[in-house]
Amino acid sequence: MRRSVALVLALLAAPSFAQEPKKDTKNAYPPIPVVDLKRKEPVEYGKDIEPIFEKKCLVCHSGTELSGKYDMGTHEKVLKGGKRGAAVVPGKSAESNLFLLCSRQKLPMMPPKGDEPLTSQELSLIKLWIDEGAKAPTTMKVKEKIVVNLPAALVKPVRALAVSPDGKAIAASRGNQINVFALKITPADKKGGPEKKEWEYAKSFFDPQLKTPDGKPAKAAHISLVESMAFSPDGKTLATGSFQELTLWDVEKGEPKQRITGFVDRVCAIGFSADGKKFVTGGGAPTEDGEIKIFDTATGKLIWEIKAGHSDTVFGVAFSPDGLLLATCGADKFVKVFEMPHAGLGWPFPPGPKAPRFAKSFEGHTHHVMGIGWTPDGKKIASCGADNFVKVWDYEKGEKIRDMQGHQKQVTSLFFVGKSTQFVTGSGDASVRMWNADNGGNVRSFPGAADFVYVVSASTDGTVVASGCEDGVVRVYNGTNGTLMKAALPPDAEPKKK
C-alpha cells in the first residue's frame, strides 16, 4: 500500500480522474466491500483518516518522496492531489479517485498485486470521510510522550567517541556514561630507555542535576544511551547527544556547562564549524522528517533549523572547511548540501530570509547514509552507508567520482583526518580502515575489533585513531602504522585480576 498511490497516479493516462481506465482481465480482483460503521459522531481526519495514510501511504508521499507528485503529508495536500489532478471530490466518494482505486472499483487498483490492501474498516472510514465533506482536522494531533529510563546494566555499547584535536585525550560513551582516557608520556630515562606513551583512564563525566523519571539521581552523563559526540576545535568543549537532549561539557573541569533540550528524538550526529563558533546537530524520529539544527556555541542558543531537509532520520552532518556549506545525510538515502548565509553577514547571522537554503543533493546510496565529511579544499564529499559502500562526490559537478569497497557490512562512521584527504571508517564487520579520497586507495587497516564498530575518530595530525564497539571497548591505534595501542575500559569494567 505504501507505493500504491504512486503507482496509481503514475499510470493515469488523462488529467481527469473521471476517465475510466481500460479493464485488465488478467489481474481482476473483487472490489473491497464497505461496511456500515454505525457511527454517531463525524469522522475526524486527524484521529481516523491520517493514521491510515501514515501507515500505508506516507513513505512514498511525504517529504522529499513524492511519487506521482502527490503529497499526502497534510489535509490540504491530500485534497489537492498529484500531477493528474484532484484525488478527492468532497461529498462525493463515488467520484473520488482515491476511494475508487482503493476499493478496486477502478483500475489500476490500489494497492497493486502483492501489497496489503485496505481493510473494509479503513476503506469505509475513507468513504464516509469523503461523503461527509472531506473535512479538515478539528483537533491538533498530539504525539504520545516517550519517557526513557536508564538502560539495563548490561547495555554498554560505545556508540559515540571523539579524539581531542591535539590527540592527548579520548572521550567515549559506554551506554549512558562518558569516560575520558588520557595519553601519559614517560620521558626517556638517563640510561637511554625510550620514551613511553600509554593510554590510561582519566575521569568520567557526570551531570549532578540529572534525575531519572522517578526523581532519583541518575549518576550518569545522560539518561538514555549517548548517541553522538564531538570536540570543539580548541578541545575545550565536548558536545554529547542522547535522546531528546544535548549537553555541552567543560572538558577541563569535567562538568556540564549547558543542557539543551527540545529535540524530537535522538541526536544522532554533531559537528562543529572550523572556527568553533557554531555547531550543528542531526537526528529526528524514524520515518519522519529529519531534524537539522544549528546552534551558537558560546550561548547554546538555536540559530537556525532546516525543516524537511530529509524525509527520514539524519545520521551525518559536516560543515565545509570555510563554513559556507553544510553537508548532511540520512535514512532517506540522500546526501544533501545546504548553503549557509555568507560570512560577510557576520555572526550571529541576522534574522530574516538569509537562512540556510538547499543547494544540491547526491543520490546513489541504496540504504541509509550513515556518515559524511569534506576534503580540506571543500571540493569533494565522502559518504558511507548501510549498503556497505563508501562514495566520493564532486561537489561542483554534482557527480559521483567513485565507489570504494572493502567493508563487508554496513559502514557506520566516517571521520576525516585533520586537513588531509585521508579519512577513517568503521563497519559492522568489525573492521576499521583508512582511505584516501583523492585516489580511492585503502591506506591501512586497524585490526583488533571484536564486535560491531559504531564509531571512529582521529586526532588532527592522524597519529591517533580510535574506535568504539558494541562490546563496550575503546580501541586506540597508532594512526601511522595501524598497531593497537590500547583496548581501553573504565576501572569498573576492567577484568578482575585473579
Side-chain angles (χ1 to χ4, degrees):
M1 177 60 192
R2 293 179 176 178
R3 291 185 172 82
S4 58
V5 178
L7 180 61
V8 168
L9 295 179
L11 295 178
L12 287 177
S16 172
F17 273 97
Q19 180 177 347
E20 289 288 344
K22 296 180 180 180
K23 293 183 178 180
D24 183 353
T25 56
K26 295 182 180 180
N27 294 293
Y29 280 79
I32 299 173
V34 294
V35 296
D36 183 1
L37 298 176
K38 300 185 183 300
R39 292 174 62 99
K40 294 182 180 180
E41 69 281 356
V43 178
E44 209 286 312
Y45 181 83
K47 177 183 176 182
D48 301 311
I49 303 302
E50 193 171 22
I52 300 174
F53 294 157
E54 288 181 347
K55 181 181 178 182
K56 297 184 175 180
C57 302
L58 294 192
V59 168
C60 292
H61 295 280
S62 65
T64 58
E65 297 293 323
L66 296 180
S67 297
K69 296 184 179 180
Y70 188 22
D71 190 340
M72 300 179 72
T74 67
H75 171 268
E76 292 80 5
K77 291 175 181 177
V78 169
L79 296 189
K80 183 179 179 180
K83 66 180 181 180
R84 304 298 181 183
V88 175
V89 180
K92 300 178 180 180
S93 62
E95 299 178 16
S96 298
N97 209 54
L98 179 63
F99 169 71
L100 293 174
L101 297 176
C102 285
S103 63
R104 297 177 171 176
Q105 295 184 51
K106 287 179 65 175
L107 295 176
M109 65 185 186
M110 182 177 71
K113 181 181 179 180
D115 287 350
E116 181 185 358
L118 269 68
T119 65
S120 290
Q121 177 79 11
E122 292 170 333
L123 181 65
S124 300
L125 276 170
I126 293 175
K127 180 180 186 301
L128 186 55
W129 168 67
I130 296 174
D131 289 337
E132 289 179 351
K135 295 178 181 178
T138 57
T139 58
M140 292 294 292
K141 184 178 179 181
V142 179
K143 281 191 175 183
E144 181 180 353
K145 185 177 180 181
I146 300 175
V147 179
V148 297
N149 213 324
L150 300 176
L154 296 178
V155 179
K156 299 293 184 182
V158 181
R159 290 193 177 182
L161 173 147
V163 178
S164 63
D166 62 7
K168 294 181 179 180
I170 297 172
S173 70
R174 183 175 165 84
N176 64 344
Q177 309 287 329
I178 295 175
N179 302 306
V180 179
F181 302 91
L183 179 62
K184 180 182 177 181
I185 301 177
T186 303
D189 57 35
K190 295 181 180 180
K191 296 181 180 180
E195 177 185 79
K196 293 183 180 179
K197 294 183 178 181
E198 299 177 293
W199 285 91
E200 297 181 347
Y201 168 81
K203 57 187 173 182
S204 296
F205 288 177
F206 298 99
D207 185 344
Q209 304 300 318
L210 199 64
K211 296 184 183 299
T212 61
D214 57 3
K216 296 178 181 179
K219 297 180 182 179
H222 291 276
I223 294 294
S224 188
L225 299 179
V226 183
E227 303 281 356
S228 53
M229 186 179 298
F231 273 105
S232 60
D234 61 8
K236 295 180 179 180
T237 300
L238 179 72
T240 61
S242 184
F243 182 74
Q244 296 185 339
E245 67 178 21
L246 177 145
T247 301
L248 296 175
W249 303 84
D250 184 307
V251 174
E252 183 177 354
K253 296 179 179 179
E255 300 174 351
K257 296 194 296 184
Q258 190 169 3
R259 192 158 162 250
I260 303 171
T261 59
F263 300 93
V264 299
D265 203 90
R266 297 169 298 155
V267 179
C268 298
I270 305 171
F272 280 88
S273 59
D275 59 12
K277 292 183 178 181
K278 54 187 179 292
F279 66 90
V280 57
T281 64
T287 74
E288 298 182 10
D289 283 347
E291 187 174 53
I292 305 169
K293 292 185 175 183
I294 301 164
F295 296 86
D296 181 285
T297 304
T299 64
K301 291 183 178 180
L302 177 65
I303 304 300
W304 308 115
E305 180 172 7
I306 300 175
K307 296 183 180 295
H310 288 265
S311 60
D312 210 328
T313 306
V314 175
F315 289 120
V317 292
F319 284 110
S320 61
D322 60 10
L324 298 182
L325 299 170
L326 171 64
T328 61
C329 63
D332 61 1
K333 309 174 188 176
F334 279 96
V335 169
K336 295 191 176 184
V337 178
F338 300 87
E339 292 180 344
M340 298 298 295
H342 294 291
L345 296 175
W347 181 260
F349 299 136
K354 291 179 171 37
R357 63 182 182 181
F358 172 75
K360 292 182 181 180
S361 65
F362 300 83
E363 187 175 4
H365 281 284
T366 58
H367 210 312
H368 297 3
V369 191
M370 306 299 296
I372 199 164
W374 294 84
T375 54
D377 58 9
K379 295 182 178 180
K380 301 185 188 74
I381 298 171
S383 62
C384 65
D387 55 5
N388 307 355
F389 277 93
V390 177
K391 297 177 185 289
V392 178
W393 314 85
D394 184 309
Y395 174 69
E396 289 298 330
K397 295 180 179 178
E399 300 174 350
K400 182 178 71 177
I401 299 175
R402 63 176 58 88
D403 289 326
M404 297 152 70
Q405 292 179 274
H407 290 297
Q408 303 304 308
K409 290 187 179 180
Q410 56 264 59
V411 190
T412 55
S413 179
L414 182 153
F415 191 92
F416 266 88
V417 179
K419 295 182 179 181
S420 74
T421 58
Q422 296 181 348
F423 60 91
V424 184
T425 58
S427 170
D429 64 6
S431 69
V432 176
R433 295 172 179 266
M434 182 179 287
W435 310 82
N436 189 316
D438 279 346
N439 57 28
N442 188 182
V443 179
R444 66 180 56 89
S445 296
F446 301 84
D451 209 331
F452 192 104
V453 176
Y454 284 109
V455 60
V456 292
S457 184
S459 59
T460 301
D461 62 6
T463 59
V464 178
V465 171
S467 67
C469 260
E470 172 66 28
D471 60 8
V473 179
V474 175
R475 290 176 173 83
V476 188
Y477 299 93
N478 182 319
T480 58
N481 59 28
T483 58
L484 180 65
M485 299 174 66
K486 178 77 172 182
L489 288 165
D492 61 353
E494 288 281 2
K496 294 182 180 180
K497 296 181 180 180
K498 296 181 179 180

